[in-house]
Amino acid sequence: MKSDSQNPYFAVSNRLICAVTVAAVLFVWNSSSVQAQVSGLNPGDPAPDFSAVNHEGEKWEASDHFGEILVVFFFPAAMTGGCTDQACSFRDHYAELRELGASVVGISGDRVENLDLFRRANNLNYPLLSDSDGSIAEAFGVPVREGGTFTIEVEGEEKELTREVTTDRWTFIIDEDGNIAYVDSDVDVSVDSEVVIAAIKEMKSG
């Protein structure tokens, strides 16, 4: 009787297994490559030089802030629970961030009037930018999906808020040289500002 190694069916099976294994490895490698291409900017990458309309309807340019540390946080929708918690956290820690030489800007797909209401309702002390076509988010590699409309009551009055696009919640730090220094694509809204402050302190000490 022939051993398995001498059996032609065994040899064919081995070749098939090898071919399938190689194909699987190539698939995983290619999938990883694609994931790397769509996963956004990484530390060390040059930051996009972007501009947008702020909550007051005025043009805001990132280049005016290069040379200092700039915290950029993308949030899905103004006047919603998690976004309010995150925005207010940056408000409460803004003085400490300024002491560290950092400015803050929040970005969403909301219309300007939504951002103005959001800022006034929560006494936010930094600018909010309207990325109504999602182009800024895409430049940073932040996933963008369809927008939406919802109604909320503010001071006894119903307001209908429409956003053109909805971005995922990502936070970036841009260093004084205009490069990405920090990326968080899995943001915890309750501690985002504190994590950012810790990261800036580490940047300065390193």
Side-chain angles (χ1 to χ4, degrees):
M1 179 179 295
K2 292 182 179 179
S3 68
D4 284 343
S5 61
Q6 295 173 316
N7 191 315
Y9 295 104
F10 179 86
V12 170
S13 298
N14 267 353
R15 286 196 295 272
L16 285 172
I17 291 169
C18 289
V20 170
T21 302
V22 170
V25 170
L26 288 173
F27 176 79
V28 171
W29 184 86
N30 284 330
S31 298
S32 299
S33 298
V34 171
Q35 181 62 36
Q37 291 168 4
V38 298
S39 62
L41 297 176
N42 297 304
D45 291 340
D49 185 3
F50 63 95
S51 63
V53 175
N54 68 11
H55 59 277
E56 296 179 321
E58 299 175 347
K59 188 175 183 180
W60 186 99
E61 297 194 46
S63 58
D64 291 340
H65 299 269
F66 290 166
E68 64 177 351
I69 297 171
L70 179 62
V71 179
V72 179
F73 72 95
F74 291 87
F75 61 96
M79 302 299 288
T80 57
C83 296
T84 299
D85 290 345
Q86 182 184 24
C88 289
S89 177
F90 277 109
R91 175 200 66 196
D92 295 343
H93 291 92
Y94 189 65
E96 185 175 358
L97 285 159
R98 290 302 297 149
E99 288 175 5
L100 291 169
S103 293
V104 177
V105 63
I107 305 176
S108 78
D110 283 282
R111 294 177 178 175
V112 169
E113 54 267 31
N114 299 10
L115 297 177
D116 183 48
L117 175 65
F118 187 38
R119 193 173 186 272
R120 288 187 289 107
N122 295 286
N123 297 311
L124 303 181
N125 46 8
Y126 52 85
L128 301 176
L129 307 183
S130 176
D131 183 22
S132 58
D133 62 359
S135 59
I136 301 173
E138 289 174 354
F140 278 82
V142 178
V144 178
R145 54 192 185 278
E146 291 183 3
T149 299
F150 69 97
T151 302
I152 188 170
E153 186 173 306
V154 182
E155 297 178 346
E157 183 180 352
E158 282 197 348
K159 300 281 188 180
E160 187 176 85
L161 304 184
T162 298
R163 62 190 182 281
E164 309 303 338
V165 299
T166 303
T167 68
D168 278 7
R169 192 188 311 280
W170 287 35
T171 299
F172 296 82
I173 299 174
I174 301 173
D175 66 21
E176 295 97 328
D177 297 321
N179 296 319
I180 301 295
Y182 164 96
V183 182
D184 186 355
S185 59
D186 188 23
V187 174
D188 181 340
V189 296
S190 63
V191 295
D192 192 24
S193 62
E194 296 170 57
V195 172
V196 164
I197 287 170
I200 292 173
K201 287 180 177 177
E202 185 175 346
M203 285 167 53
K204 286 182 168 292
S205 67

